[in-house]
Amino acid sequence: MCEGRACKEVHLCGIRAPSDGEEGFQESSDALMTILGGNLIKCTQVGGGTPCDEKGKSTDGEAIVATCHIGSHDIAEDMAKHGFACDQVSMSGGRYSGEGLGKPCDTQQSALKPAE
């Protein structure tokens, strides 16, 4: 997320995708780049009306934690729905898992191995 020439890393609230070095990272990263596709993205930081309000922090180190959309389309929902991230139910309230959506995370496994 950039304002002028200042850019910040953004973590999508409510989902967990593989980190660099974890199994599935490259596939997840490639999927995110495809979803973004050079479109204009609007992000709302936690605390400003996101599924993670009152459950999570608005920052993670130097990164901003936010819900991001392309138009009215939730990017985290796409990532979870297509299996490139899992739903952190404790943060999202289950928004990204359930009927027709993604799987909840199992905190003992990688992001791409959903809870059973």
Side-chain angles (χ1 to χ4, degrees):
M1 179 157 108
C2 300
E3 291 182 22
R5 292 182 181 219
C7 295
K8 291 253 184 190
E9 183 175 337
V10 175
H11 293 178
L12 295 173
C13 85
I15 62 168
R16 175 159 174 352
S19 297
D20 194 6
E22 291 182 332
E23 181 181 344
F25 169 75
Q26 192 60 55
E27 294 85 354
S28 181
S29 180
D30 291 348
L32 180 59
M33 291 298 110
T34 298
I35 290 167
L36 298 179
N39 293 297
L40 180 63
I41 300 159
K42 181 178 181 198
C43 296
T44 303
Q45 193 167 2
V46 169
T50 76
C52 302
D53 287 1
E54 299 178 23
K55 299 174 198 112
K57 297 179 181 179
S58 60
T59 59
D60 182 8
E62 295 292 316
I64 293 169
V65 182
T67 298
C68 298
H69 293 82
I70 297 172
S72 63
H73 196 74
D74 187 332
I75 295 168
E77 184 176 308
D78 252 5
M79 291 293 289
K81 183 176 183 178
H82 296 291
F84 295 108
C86 57
D87 183 5
Q88 290 183 306
V89 176
S90 63
M91 300 301 291
S92 74
R95 176 180 175 91
Y96 303 114
S97 59
E99 191 173 325
L101 293 177
K103 304 285 186 203
C105 297
D106 178 341
T107 57
Q108 303 303 312
Q109 298 177 351
S110 81
L112 295 183
K113 293 183 180 171
E116 306 216 355

